[in-house]
Each structure stands twice: as structure tokens, then as C-alpha cells.
Amino acid sequence: MRLLERARKEWFMVGIVVAIGAAKLEPSVGVNGGPLKPEITVSYIAVATIFFNSGLSLKTEELTSALVHLRLHLFIQIFTLAFFPAAIWLFLQLLSVTSINEWLLKGLQTVGCMPPPVSSAVILTKAVGGNEAAAIFNSAFGSFLGIVVTPVLLLLFIVRRYIKDWLERKKPPFGVVSSSVLLMIIYTTFCDTFSNPNIDLDKFSLILILFIIVSVQLSFMLLTFIFSTRNNSGFTPADTVAIIFCSTHKSLTLGIPMLKIVFAGHEHLSLISVPLLIYHPAQILLGSVLVPTIKSWMVSRQKGVKLTRPTV
């Protein structure tokens, strides 16, 4: 199962590159009014499919399995949906005086406002051996909070209750469906970009944004680690692992459709989307690289706790 998930993610990363490359070669296919009719197929059908698929794939019954650890959940949700966007906003006030493309900076702010992903944070927490139940709860609940105002998703939770047995028996390929539709959205978004002669993305801004994103991820992972390992924090090493990944990861699957809705018709939509498109693979790559180190730390801390416990 883990190999299949890894293969799907690698396929999706390649798909992003192919989609952007295809948009560059022939942008007229995916522009508004073009053969794909993205003003209908993307703005309505694709976005609705993403939310419908996300709603069905969320196992809402798992939201109750880890409810008892309220302090942990509050920490993750407040950090993700309050501290993260506020800190990014303050940081962008400093960056606003630089020559970095202003629309990329706006894209960074949208990254800060995104809910956590349902998959990557859970997978990495499980790989380390951290508190998987807490990761599942906060990823699912955080995604729910991120789109709570969407009536469609609320309807989907109801739909899932009635077809729960069928979903668990058939196990539809939710990941493949979401990834395929998401690639279509990315493709048409960049078709609009490459067909607009007034949009120019300089390489300097792109390189700086990449550096900033990696720096933000590392800084926030370190910050959550420091806060959650204080003597009076009340968190176990396994809890800390869930906090590190769930508090700093952002959802591309829900983020791109949200941007498509909020910035519908905006000529700089693709530039605003770039930071999120960079943030997503960066968080997976960075998390994967750090898994052995974090796992080693957690195991050593757990052994230390066992050794200090009095024998009965």
C-alpha cells in the first residue's frame, strides 16, 4: 500500500510538469473559450468533482476516534489556521519592499491560509511511528474546517453516511480521480498564463520564492518541535511527530480548487497558484528526508521515558 501511494505521488509530480509543459506548448487548447471550455469543465465540473471526491474519501467516523486529546488538536488547528497565516502576513510586509513578483507574494499568503492535507501528514507521521490517530483527526478535521462554508461538502458528509458500506467494499480510486482532475485544473490555469502576453514571471522571483518556501517549512517545523517538547507541554514524542507534520503541511488538493473559485477570472491566477504548487512537493520531499532523523529522535526519547519510570 505504501509503495502504491508513493508511486501515485511520483506520477502526480510528473503530471504537474507535463501539464505545465503542455500548456506552454499549446496554450490555446485550455484557455477560456478554447476546445476544453474550462469556463465550464473546470470552473464547475472539475471543482465540484474535487470537493465531491474529497468529501466521500474523508472517513468522518475517524474524527471521533481521537477527540479526547483536546490540547493536541487545539495546538495544531490554531497553529495551522491562525498562527501560520498571521506569521506569513507579517513576513510578507517585509518582502513587499523587495523586487519579488507581487503576485507570487500574494500566492504565498494564500498558502498560509490553506487547510492541512489529508494524506501526506498522516503518511509521514505513520512512517516515523508517531501519533497516527491524532494525525488522521487533525488532517481530516483541518480540511473540513477549511471548506466548512461550502454547502456541497456538508451535503457530501450526508451522502457518505448512506453509501458508507459500498465505499468500504469497492474502495474507489479517490486519489487517482482527484489527481487527474487536479492536473486538468493546473493545465488550464497555465494555459491562461502562457496565452497572456502581459504576464511575465522572472526567474529571480521564482528562485527566491522556492528558497522562502523551504525556509518557512523548516522554520515552522522547528518552531512546532520546540513548543511541543517543552517540559510542561504535556505532549508525548509521538504527539510531537503528529504536530510537526500536521501543523506545517498544506493541501494542494483542496487549495487549487479554492483558488480557482476565489480568484475566478483573475489574469494572475496562475502566478498566485505557483507558491502552492511549489509548497506541496517541497513538503513531501522535506518530510521524507527528515523521517529517519525524526524517527531516531522519537525512539530515543521513548526509551528515555521508559528508563526513568520506576519499577513496581
Side-chain angles (χ1 to χ4, degrees):
M1 183 64 71
R2 188 175 298 175
L3 289 176
L4 288 175
E5 182 67 24
R6 181 178 179 181
R8 186 180 72 81
K9 288 185 179 296
E10 290 176 352
W11 165 81
F12 181 64
M13 299 305 174
V14 173
I16 290 178
V17 176
V18 172
I20 295 175
K24 175 67 174 177
L25 291 174
E26 195 56 55
S28 61
V29 175
V31 297
N32 286 340
L36 281 182
K37 300 293 182 185
E39 63 272 18
I40 298 174
T41 58
V42 171
S43 298
Y44 297 101
I45 299 175
V47 171
T49 300
I50 286 284
F51 284 120
F52 185 83
N53 194 61
S54 297
L56 290 181
S57 60
L58 276 177
K59 295 184 178 180
T60 51
E61 62 272 14
E62 290 178 345
L63 297 179
T64 60
S65 66
L67 266 175
V68 293
H69 208 332
L70 186 60
R71 187 174 184 177
L72 171 64
H73 308 323
L74 283 175
F75 180 96
I76 292 176
Q77 297 305 324
I78 291 174
F79 191 97
T80 303
L81 299 174
F83 177 82
F84 201 123
I88 292 295
W89 181 82
L90 289 173
F91 184 47
L92 291 182
Q93 304 311 301
L94 300 176
L95 294 178
S96 62
V97 299
T98 67
S99 59
I100 301 176
N101 186 290
E102 64 172 311
W103 298 105
L104 290 180
L105 293 181
K106 290 182 185 296
L108 271 178
Q109 184 64 74
T110 65
V111 169
C113 297
M114 290 299 157
V118 179
S119 56
S120 61
V122 176
I123 291 169
L124 290 170
T125 299
K126 184 176 182 178
V128 174
N131 191 334
E132 187 181 355
I136 290 173
F137 175 87
N138 283 282
S139 294
F141 189 59
S143 296
F144 169 75
L145 286 180
I147 47 179
V148 69
V149 295
T150 308
V152 173
L153 190 56
L154 295 178
L155 174 63
L156 294 176
F157 287 143
I158 299 174
V159 171
R160 181 183 171 84
R161 184 174 60 186
Y162 289 106
I163 61 174
K164 174 184 172 184
D165 292 339
W166 180 85
L167 289 173
E168 292 182 350
R169 186 172 65 255
K170 296 295 184 180
K171 299 187 182 302
F174 293 118
V176 174
V177 173
S178 288
S179 297
S180 301
V181 176
L182 202 54
L183 288 176
M184 179 184 177
I185 295 176
I186 293 170
Y187 168 70
T188 56
T189 297
F190 277 87
C191 280
D192 284 335
T193 298
F194 295 130
S195 64
N196 189 338
N198 298 321
I199 294 179
D200 181 34
L201 177 59
D202 59 289
K203 294 180 180 178
F204 175 73
S205 292
L206 196 59
I207 293 173
L208 275 182
I209 287 295
L210 175 60
F211 174 76
I212 290 169
I213 285 174
V214 174
S215 300
V216 165
Q217 289 187 15
L218 283 172
S219 299
F220 282 5
M221 290 178 80
L222 179 60
L223 193 61
T224 54
F225 175 80
I226 293 172
F227 279 135
S228 61
T229 53
R230 292 178 303 171
N231 291 333
N232 59 345
S233 68
F235 299 129
T236 67
D239 292 339
T240 295
V241 174
I243 287 172
I244 289 173
F245 291 125
C246 292
S247 298
T248 59
H249 280 213
K250 296 294 182 178
S251 175
L252 179 69
T253 305
L254 297 179
I256 291 295
M258 283 181 180
L259 292 180
K260 195 73 177 178
I261 293 172
V262 175
F263 297 98
H266 201 295
E267 66 174 348
H268 293 99
L269 171 61
S270 59
L271 294 185
I272 295 172
S273 305
V274 165
L276 184 58
L277 291 173
I278 295 175
Y279 196 98
H280 177 75
Q283 71 188 7
I284 295 174
L285 179 61
L286 192 59
S288 300
V289 169
L290 292 176
V291 160
T293 302
I294 297 175
K295 186 172 185 177
S296 177
W297 168 84
M298 188 191 73
V299 171
S300 64
R301 282 293 297 269
Q302 289 176 333
K303 287 181 178 178
V305 170
K306 290 177 181 179
L307 289 175
T308 56
R309 286 177 181 171
T311 55
V312 179

